Amino acid sequence: MSANPQYRSLAYQNLSLAQQYSSHDPEVLLGMALFHQQVGEYTQAKTFYDVLMGQNKILGSTLIYYGRFLCDIGQYQDAQDYFHQAANLHQYQWKIEAIEQSAYCALNQGEQVLAMQQFSLLFSLVPTKRYSADKMRQYYQSQNQVEQVRLLNTILTE
């Protein structure tokens, strides 16, 4: 995270204060998990995600964020399972987001077949996502992520 350390500290203080007043609130737990994930504190992030995932009612957005976290830490198959769960909740927004995150997770893992399947499904449901994928391809190119650029070029020309 490249934010000013002062702002990072202030954000953490605010999240900690929210946690004091509402320690089991899903939004507070998700905020804490995302904060720790963004600053590279994966053990702490996992702790918050574990509490969050142990709650009775889990939202599609929670499944997607947790899937992204798992993908980031290399637990690819588990991540795909959570994306699949979110996509099957029959809520359009979560379905689209889950398919998109599944596609990028597969892409980043070099799983070309799954990435192509997910992007194809995504583009059929939301054709404008093709433009977003092209922007992401440009980002990967600027980061010199050659394999992701190659795979996205293949996917975007299909």
Side-chain angles (χ1 to χ4, degrees), residues 106-119:
L107 181 82
N108 288 323
Q109 292 296 320
E111 294 287 333
Q112 184 172 351
V113 173
L114 180 58
M116 290 180 87
Q117 290 170 345
Q118 293 298 76
F119 276 114

Side-chain angles (χ1 to χ4, degrees), residues 6-46:
Q6 179 182 354
Y7 294 135
R8 187 179 314 145
S9 176
L10 189 58
Y12 184 75
Q13 289 173 14
N14 286 332
L15 284 167
S16 294
L17 186 61
Q19 187 184 16
Q20 284 178 350
Y21 287 100
S22 192
S23 62
H24 294 291
D25 183 277
E27 291 176 358
V28 173
L29 292 168
L30 182 58
M32 291 297 280
L34 288 170
F35 176 86
H36 288 292
Q37 182 178 348
Q38 288 298 311
V39 299
E41 297 171 346
Y42 297 118
T43 302
Q44 294 90 328
K46 178 89 168 89

Side-chain angles (χ1 to χ4, degrees), residues 75-90:
Q75 295 181 14
Y76 168 72
Q77 189 54 53
D78 290 338
Q80 291 297 341
D81 291 344
Y82 283 101
F83 295 140
H84 183 72
Q85 286 178 44
N88 287 327
L89 290 175
H90 305 296

Side-chain angles (χ1 to χ4, degrees), residues 118-127 130:
Q118 293 298 76
F119 276 114
S120 178
L121 177 58
L122 180 66
F123 297 157
S124 72
L125 294 170
V126 187
R130 185 176 289 277

